[in-house]
Amino acid sequence: MSQLRLSSLFRRNEPVLILVFVLAVVVFGWIDPRFLTAGNFVSIAQQSSVIALIAFAMTAVIIARGIDISVGSTLAFAGVAAGLVHAASGSAVLTLAAAIGSGALVGLLNGILIGSAGISPFMATLATMAFARGLSLSLSRASSITIADPVVLYAGRETFGLLPVSVVIALAVLLAWWFVLKRTVYGRWIYAVGGNAEAARASMVPVGPVRISVYLIAGATAGLGAILTIGRLGSAQPLAGTGLEFTAITAAIVGGTKLSGGRGSIWGTALGAMLLGVINTGLSFLQVPQIVIYYITAALILAAVLASQPESVTSLFSSLRRTTPKRTDGALAVSPTGAGGAHSIALRGIGKVFPGVKALDGVSFTVSSGEVVALAGENGAGKSTLVRCISGIYRPDEGEIVIDGKTVDFHSSNEARDISVIHQHFSLSPDLTVEENLFVGREPRTRLGLLDRARMRREAQAVMDEFSLDIPVDAELRSLSVGRQQMVEIARAVLSDAWFMVMDEPTSALSNRERDQLYGLIDRLKARGAGILYISHKMEEIFNLCGRVVVLRDGKFIGERRTAETNEAEIVSMMVGRDVGDVFPHHQADIGERAIEVEALSDGKLLKSASLNVHRGEIVALAGLMGSGRSEVLRLIAGMAAPQSGAITIFGRPQRGADLKAANRAGIVYIPEDRHLEGFVGTMSVSDNLSLAWIRGHSRLGILSPARIAALARELIGSLGVRPAQPGKATIELSGGNQQKVVIGKWLATKPRIILLDEPTRGVDVGAKSELHRLIAGLKQEGAAILMVSSELPEVLGVADRIVVMRQGHSVGELARGATEEQVMALAFGDRATAKPADLLASAQQR
């Protein structure tokens, strides 16, 4: 346990920065003992205080997925504005207010351009950088403005006890930022906006105002920095702050803040600013030439970043090894077998260990060419880890992988040429054409070294013809449906000459027609000699497509069965280690008042006219083909979009559209179809995601209660069965099913009266489906009104009290409980003759 804690400690930036800081101090002190005097350290702290102030605000900006390269110019402009006000009024109070206010104005301009107008942060702050610098030079006439007022100069040159006032101010601002980011709702919003703005917006976070505010604060902080600079220099300089923005960004990045947003530590930034101050001051103290200082500073910063990110070092050495692959113990670095002939891949005792957990333990099975083998298991059973081991992303810690009788040792996925993984979330580029996507990374060249587009088109068209795919090879990928993009991903695998393919939930986002086309393609691949490892949570797919089923549970190989010799109940029992009973249970509940009334609802686009009602204590399911307008109904009711016509009534009161907060106040919550886009913030912890919507109504004056949040997280993790049960774990590191549990838990925390579920069990394993539906049934029995969209007809028929069928944007009929799949599909396809009139109930007649 102590080793695990130590490993966890050194994966953070702060301990590494402290070590580098101490090392730098020791080295400089060893070279010249005068460096270790108290006066020198005070001087370093004083010089670093302005950098630290700006870096603190920059950290918040970067966490919110922004950047501000205007702060140096803003500081100069704020100083000049303060100097002019002092020259005109002689008032110290007005001078200080002018500095902070003028900086805040520039920050507000940045915020409006970025948060409201949607301009790129880099471009917006680049423009304001030039604007503010131009104002500084023109207003001051390119000359310094002397200020002798002791009140104005106090913060920059006086001391408070043994510490300079500027250092005390920097420490106070540090503590304030720590409190804001870690203990307030506003701080949580900053992290959410940077981690996933769409999910934050769907969680009622005011994304635009948050973005505006962080730039406003950054500008005001630059104004405060101008006051400290004036105090040190005794004047306002129009060229003050030159290069300050890059130093502040460096301090934040060295401190662990990610430019991708959503992650950052104010303490890390403070240490980064101190480290930069020590390095620059120490080298200057030793009279090292400035050009050498630049080189040494760059080297030390790079060393600090690499030391704090060991995965980068590992990746670096792995890439070096890949350039000169070695063979050891008779293992092959690559096994180029090609697509023809008979092949097999055998896993023998595969094990993989991560800090604190054994993700795989003794997994053994074989897949041969010409067969489809299902890999089944609950979310978190180790399927994804196993696929990464097979494809070369991970190297197993135990066991071996044998291809065609020869042990292989892949150092990267590039070496696993016989293996192709078709992910649930595509690895294609939407901006490239189909043919360009097919050849990314292995583009054919002409004799002159140019791209051989004629060959690309010829071979791309050949593979489309071979598999009877009517996909234009010159079309941009983004113009294709999800299903057709899936086919392109498979065609790419075929062109790579991979004989072994892993398909991870390939039908999760496909329509029925696209699904059937995929099934046909799999049959052709089998006939061609491909071996397929098929991962799916849908039992009907496993039994229809696969000859064998391999089952994992908790990282261990439980066993395998031939599909012709087993049944769904046995496989489910092997997966979960318990009897889950009915996966889609139906529970009776007392029907209460009418909660939702929708009349002729339209969004002016896909949805033409939908009418339905839902009462408390019942589940109504929307069924129909993809594109029939099902999800649009939910989004309009939830306030995610504005209706163009029709009416929404909630508990007897008309509901305005496009008002997410008003819908939530009415007791409505919406579980989105795409959990990655609108469901959760991947960079935030499980606990923070679960409480993201809850904290708005459960904080005093915007201040968070860590104890109450921890209690909420424990309760939801326990009731939902989130695995692993670690509230502090980043949500992006969970399996897909557990991520979905977190999304649902986030909204259940708000105690809703109306629950809108859009594909609630997509990508969720059988055991989790049963748990989620038992939870949903419990909410129904407690009086919740539930409107659900699902593409799985067994789910619709199993849990729904009534079914409303959508077709081409219209609600075309309603079926009572007990309806069949044929009756649902008859309405969905427009064949009303197949459904019995007695089964078609109008909404008014039903209730």
Side-chain angles (χ1 to χ4, degrees), residues 50 54 70-80 136 221-227 229 237 240-241 244:
V50 173
I54 304 301
S70 71
V71 288
S73 298
T74 302
L75 183 146
F77 168 65
V80 168
S136 302
T221 303
L224 179 58
I227 294 172
T229 304
Q237 302 284 344
L244 178 60

Side-chain angles (χ1 to χ4, degrees), residues 394-561:
Y394 292 160
R395 297 183 71 188
D397 297 314
E398 301 170 355
E400 61 182 2
I401 300 173
V402 180
I403 295 181
D404 295 337
K406 297 178 181 179
T407 300
V408 296
D409 182 16
F410 298 135
H411 290 88
S412 76
S413 57
N414 293 330
E415 295 182 8
R417 297 173 187 171
D418 292 336
I419 299 168
S420 181
V421 180
I422 297 153
H423 297 280
Q424 180 179 359
H425 302 284
F426 305 143
S427 57
L428 304 174
S429 173
D431 297 315
L432 298 181
T433 65
V434 170
E435 64 185 49
E436 289 168 341
N437 269 288
L438 292 177
F439 289 93
V440 165
R442 45 190 172 81
E443 295 84 354
R445 303 282 179 176
T446 65
R447 291 181 178 180
L448 299 177
L450 301 177
L451 195 63
D452 192 344
R453 288 194 172 274
R455 179 182 168 189
M456 287 171 58
R457 177 160 299 191
R458 185 171 61 251
E459 294 187 11
Q461 190 60 57
V463 76
M464 295 299 171
D465 293 341
E466 179 182 356
F467 291 102
S468 302
L469 298 176
D470 183 22
I471 300 176
V473 296
D474 57 349
E476 276 194 6
L477 190 79
R478 68 169 67 253
S479 67
L480 304 181
S481 68
V482 173
R484 289 160 77 83
Q485 290 182 34
Q486 183 91 69
M487 304 305 168
V488 173
E489 182 112 35
I490 295 173
R492 184 168 182 259
V494 171
L495 275 175
S496 70
D497 281 338
W499 71 266
F500 181 63
M501 301 180 188
V502 180
M503 297 187 178
D504 187 1
E505 293 284 352
T507 62
S508 61
L510 303 188
S511 67
N512 291 336
R513 187 175 292 107
E514 291 168 336
R515 180 199 61 195
D516 293 338
Q517 188 178 16
L518 175 64
Y519 292 167
L521 184 55
I522 290 173
D523 288 337
R524 294 189 186 97
L525 289 170
K526 282 174 57 181
R528 194 177 188 267
I532 299 173
L533 186 64
Y534 194 91
I535 302 174
S536 177
H537 294 307
K538 299 177 180 178
M539 286 295 154
E540 64 272 20
E541 288 188 351
I542 290 176
F543 281 88
N544 288 335
L545 294 177
C546 306
R548 289 185 291 127
V549 187
V550 173
V551 179
L552 300 184
R553 185 172 73 240
D554 297 330
K556 298 181 179 180
F557 172 76
I558 300 302
E560 64 177 272
R561 299 287 188 273

Side-chain angles (χ1 to χ4, degrees), residues 18-204:
I18 291 173
L19 288 177
V20 176
F21 177 83
V22 171
L23 179 63
V25 170
V26 170
V27 170
F28 288 131
W30 176 70
I31 296 174
D32 190 335
R34 293 176 299 169
F35 183 82
L36 299 177
T37 61
N40 187 52
F41 283 122
V42 170
S43 176
I44 292 173
Q46 189 172 21
Q47 293 175 28
S48 302
S49 57
V50 173
I51 295 175
L53 279 176
I54 304 301
F56 296 154
M58 186 70 74
T59 299
V61 169
I62 296 175
I63 290 174
R65 196 174 288 188
I67 199 75
D68 188 353
I69 60 173
S70 71
V71 288
S73 298
T74 302
L75 183 146
F77 168 65
V80 168
L84 293 174
V85 168
H86 187 268
S89 67
S91 168
V93 173
L94 290 178
T95 300
L96 298 176
I100 296 176
S102 55
L105 283 175
V106 176
L108 179 61
L109 177 59
N110 280 330
I112 292 173
L113 292 174
I114 296 164
S116 295
I119 298 175
S120 157
F122 179 82
M123 296 306 300
T125 58
L126 179 65
T128 52
M129 177 181 72
F131 179 67
R133 185 67 70 184
L135 280 177
S136 302
L137 291 170
S138 61
L139 292 175
S140 65
R141 297 181 180 179
S143 301
S144 61
I145 303 173
T146 302
I147 299 177
D149 191 320
V151 176
V152 178
L153 303 179
Y154 176 80
R157 61 176 53 178
E158 297 300 326
T159 60
F160 185 81
L162 297 177
L163 291 176
V165 172
S166 59
V167 175
V168 175
I169 292 174
L171 289 172
V173 173
L174 168 64
L175 293 174
W177 268 118
W178 170 82
F179 182 80
V180 167
L181 290 175
K182 294 298 183 184
R183 293 290 185 266
T184 69
V185 173
Y186 174 67
R188 191 63 49 81
W189 286 351
I190 291 175
Y191 280 101
V193 169
N196 185 342
E198 291 304 316
R201 185 176 287 108
S203 302
M204 299 180 297

Side-chain angles (χ1 to χ4, degrees), residues 574-714:
M574 292 172 67
M575 288 170 55
V576 303
R578 64 189 187 279
D579 182 12
V580 299
D582 189 357
V583 176
F584 301 125
H586 180 266
H587 295 267
Q588 293 293 339
D590 295 331
I591 302 300
E593 64 180 312
R594 181 171 293 182
I596 304 173
E597 176 76 30
V598 169
E599 290 291 342
L601 191 62
S602 170
D603 64 355
K605 300 174 184 176
L606 193 62
L607 182 64
K608 308 303 181 184
S609 177
S611 299
L612 58 91
N613 63 75
V614 186
H615 292 69
R616 299 189 69 171
E618 71 171 345
I619 297 176
V620 174
L622 287 176
L625 304 179
M626 291 184 68
S628 61
R630 300 170 304 167
S631 296
E632 285 71 18
V633 173
L634 267 59
R635 295 182 71 85
L636 290 176
I637 296 172
M640 301 287 290
Q644 293 301 304
S645 61
I648 303 172
T649 304
I650 304 298
F651 293 111
R653 296 184 178 181
Q655 184 77 15
R656 239 178 6 148
D659 193 337
L660 183 62
K661 294 178 184 177
N664 189 257
R665 285 194 297 270
I668 301 171
V669 298
Y670 169 64
I671 314 298
E673 177 182 11
D674 190 336
R675 58 177 173 266
H676 290 273
L677 179 63
E678 295 180 319
F680 66 89
V681 181
T683 55
M684 293 175 68
S685 69
V686 172
S687 175
D688 289 345
N689 268 291
L690 288 172
S691 60
L692 185 58
W694 176 86
I695 57 177
R696 173 185 284 272
H698 295 82
S699 60
R700 292 185 178 181
L701 302 176
I703 299 174
L704 301 175
S705 170
R708 294 182 67 192
I709 290 174
L712 174 74
R714 285 194 302 270

